[in-house]
Structure formats: C-alpha cells, structure tokens
Amino acid sequence: MQVSDSSSRILAGLLEARTGQQLTMSRRWRIETALAALLRQRGIPSLDELITILVMGREPSLATEVVEALLNNETYFFRDRSPFDLLSKAVLPKLAQLRQGQKRLRIWSAGCSTGQEAYSLAMLFAEDPLKWAGWTIDIIGSDVSESAVRRARDGTYTQFEVQRGLGITQMIRWFEECEGGWRAIEPLRRLVRFQVQNLLEPPPHPGQFDIVLCRNVLLYLNAERRGLVFDRIAGAMSPDGWLMLGAGETVIGQTKRFEADPQSRGLYRPVGEGEGIRLRA
Ligand SMILES: C[S@@+](CC[C@H](N)C(=O)[O-])C[C@H]1O[C@@H](n2cnc3c(N)ncnc32)[C@H](O)[C@@H]1O
C-alpha cells in the first residue's frame, strides 16, 4: 500500500484537527502500518478509497476510527519507573500532610491511553493500605481515544502487556487470569475512573487535582496548542499541586503557568495568577 503525499497530508490534517497531534514528515511512515488493520476490517481496498469515503462523509464513525488508529498509544505499567518512585517518596508524603484534614486526594492521568499509568498510580496506594486507610483517593484517567478508554475501563491486558513494567508478584497480586489475558482485580479498578476527554477542550473538575500526570502526550503538539493545554491543566489543578511530564518533556520555555519544582527534578508546580504577574514585572 503506497501513501501518496496528498493522502498523507489529508490524514495528518484530520489527526491534527481532532487531537492537535502533528504527524511530521518523518513520522508519516506510520500511516501505512497504523491503518492496515482498519482497511482490512472494513474491506476498504486502498488509502485513496478510504480518503474518498472520508471526504464524502458517508461514514462519520470512520473518521474517528482513522484518528484512533493514527494516535500513538504506547504505554506500559510504571513507565520509566523513577517518576513513580518520586511520587511515592517525595510527593505523596507531602500531600498526606497537606490534606490530613480532608483526607482526600484527586489525581489525573491526562492522556492515559489504555490505562496502565492510572492503574500504576492505584497500585501505589493499594500497596500501602495502612497509610491511606480512611482516605478517599480519586484517580481519573482520560484520553481522546474512545477505544483506549474502553480498554482502560475494562482493565484487561494481554500477557505481554501485563508483564511490561510489572514484576510477577505485582501481576499476581493485582490481576487475575481471564479470557484474553489478565484483568485488574476489582479493588484496584475501584480506585480508578476513566473518561473520554480531549485535552484541547475544558478539563474535568476545574481547580481540584492534587497531581496531574501528562506524560508523552504533548511532544507532537504545536507550541500554541501546547500552551493551551498547559493553561487547561493549570486551571484544573489545586494551586499547591504537582504536574509530572514525560521523560523528554518540560514546561521551560513553553508556558508561564508552571515552574520547575526545585526540590524534585521532573516535577512542576503551578504559578499562581499573582506570582505570574510578579514574575513578568
Ligand atoms: C504515547 S501515549 C502516553 C500514555 C501514557 N501517558 C504514558 O506515558 O505511558 C499518548 C496518549 O495521549 C493521547 N492523546 C493524544 N492527543 C490527545 C488529546 N488532544 N487529548 C487527550 N488525549 C490525547 C493518545 O490517544 C495516547 O493514548
């Protein structure tokens, strides 16, 4: 299957319009592989035919399926490991003190893909039950991809997926074997809720999240949209909360709404409205 320049431009344009994700020229090789299964399932003989159907608007759900197939959903449990150590050693003990009165924490995994990041967070709490006894822990995972969110809600992973990032003890403790692989057990699933949400649109529960993870999501957004998403995330956070980005990502030079946490590399703190004005002065 050959992808002509005009076809790849149309498909990349559709992806960017719906999600902000740019398929730069060097990443357009993905189109062919990403769409092969969809074309097969739908019995569509070529990309040109696919584009004709999309342009004619004959099957509105097809555009959504194309976008979802083009999104990069790569994820695994405890991805990059050290951010989770940082959360459990540096951030959660501070939040445990700060929120001692309310005994409630809200955490948002923004761009959660198929849910591994949100379940990894849930394991941090579930593995320390004495410390968190009596607390309400809300972990929300959201993604623009409906199919990823469906999978995340179901919490079932193949043998390969469940082994990526989890040791055998964690796997057996938090997952049970089922048809099709391993399913997160109910006490773990109970800690996590998932919803479809586009980060370019207003976030869920403004002003409430104590921790936001938005990892490996913003790399391929243009500067303007990235700034918009940082604004949205800042608006959804508690002023004394923490933001965590992916390993190769930073807020520096991207937004004035966050600054690096001097005590924990890789973590960012919201800059209050007043402080922002003071900094710019
Ligand atoms: C590479 S995965 C990262 C998953 C997880 N955060 C991690 O680091 O392992 C990126 C996810 O961001 C989602 N995404 C991309 N653009 C988005 C948008 N505009 N709004 C919400 N989610 C988006 C994709 O669907 C994908 O599931």
Side-chain angles (χ1 to χ4, degrees):
M1 187 172 51
Q2 269 299 318
V3 191
S4 66
D5 275 359
S6 61
S7 298
S8 69
R9 252 198 319 276
I10 291 172
L11 293 167
L14 175 65
L15 177 68
E16 187 171 358
R18 296 270 183 111
T19 69
Q21 298 292 330
Q22 293 182 316
L23 265 184
T24 51
M25 286 315 271
S26 62
R27 291 172 67 242
R28 291 199 183 173
W29 60 269
R30 289 196 66 236
I31 291 180
E32 201 176 324
T33 337
L35 294 180
L38 178 62
L39 293 193
R40 239 187 348 266
Q41 275 162 26
R42 292 285 202 128
I44 300 171
S46 66
L47 274 175
D48 286 343
E49 181 64 25
L50 172 74
I51 283 161
T52 308
I53 302 172
L54 289 175
V55 171
M56 306 267 295
R58 288 205 305 261
E59 289 185 55
S61 68
L62 186 61
T64 305
E65 286 180 53
V66 167
V67 168
E68 298 203 354
L70 290 175
L71 283 166
N72 168 13
N73 293 132
E74 165 71 0
T75 189
Y76 49 91
F77 292 100
F78 293 98
R79 185 173 189 169
D80 305 333
R81 189 54 76 161
S82 61
F84 292 92
D85 293 340
L86 195 60
L87 285 181
S88 61
K89 291 192 184 121
V91 175
L92 293 183
K94 283 185 197 151
L95 277 172
Q97 278 180 354
L98 287 168
R99 304 287 186 267
Q100 189 56 43
Q102 308 89 312
K103 287 201 181 314
R104 175 164 203 172
L105 289 184
R106 296 181 177 92
I107 304 179
W108 180 19
S109 163
C112 66
S113 185
T114 39
Q116 286 89 328
E117 186 172 87
Y119 286 117
S120 303
L121 291 166
M123 280 181 248
L124 293 184
F125 292 94
E127 286 176 357
D128 208 348
L130 287 181
K131 180 167 178 186
W132 300 108
W135 284 69
T136 302
I137 309 294
D138 280 329
I139 301 171
I140 294 184
S142 70
D143 202 282
V144 72
S145 163
E146 286 173 30
S147 55
V149 167
R150 245 191 330 271
R151 284 209 55 209
R153 276 193 190 123
D154 185 59
T156 300
Y157 300 96
T158 63
Q159 180 80 33
F160 173 71
E161 287 168 333
V162 85
Q163 283 178 326
R164 285 186 80 194
L166 290 183
I168 191 81
T169 319
Q170 266 180 323
M171 176 179 137
I172 287 168
R173 184 165 178 200
W174 299 114
F175 291 80
E176 57 199 359
E177 223 171 340
C178 66
E179 207 186 315
W182 293 77
R183 185 167 197 215
I185 58 173
E186 205 271 335
L188 197 66
R189 279 188 281 124
R190 215 174 31 219
L191 290 173
V192 185
R193 280 180 294 141
F194 292 99
Q195 63 187 65
V196 177
Q197 202 256 338
N198 189 338
L199 283 169
L200 302 176
E201 285 159 18
H205 318 295
Q208 294 186 343
F209 290 104
D210 302 298
I211 303 175
V212 177
L213 281 78
C214 186
R215 303 166 68 221
N216 308 299
V217 181
L218 304 180
L219 276 174
Y220 296 105
L221 259 53
N222 69 23
E224 189 187 336
R225 288 200 179 104
R226 208 177 294 146
L228 171 76
V229 174
F230 281 128
D231 286 351
R232 298 239 191 264
I233 292 176
M237 284 180 71
S238 136
D240 58 354
W242 278 267
L243 168 68
M244 179 175 280
L245 300 174
E249 297 168 316
T250 179
V251 301
I252 296 162
Q254 320 266 330
T255 175
K256 292 194 161 62
R257 301 296 299 270
F258 290 94
E259 61 190 9
D261 180 344
Q263 281 154 32
S264 305
R265 201 163 161 266
L267 289 177
Y268 303 93
R269 311 297 309 264
V271 176
E273 293 291 318
E275 293 165 66
I277 290 161
R278 187 157 46 78
L279 278 174
R280 278 194 293 274

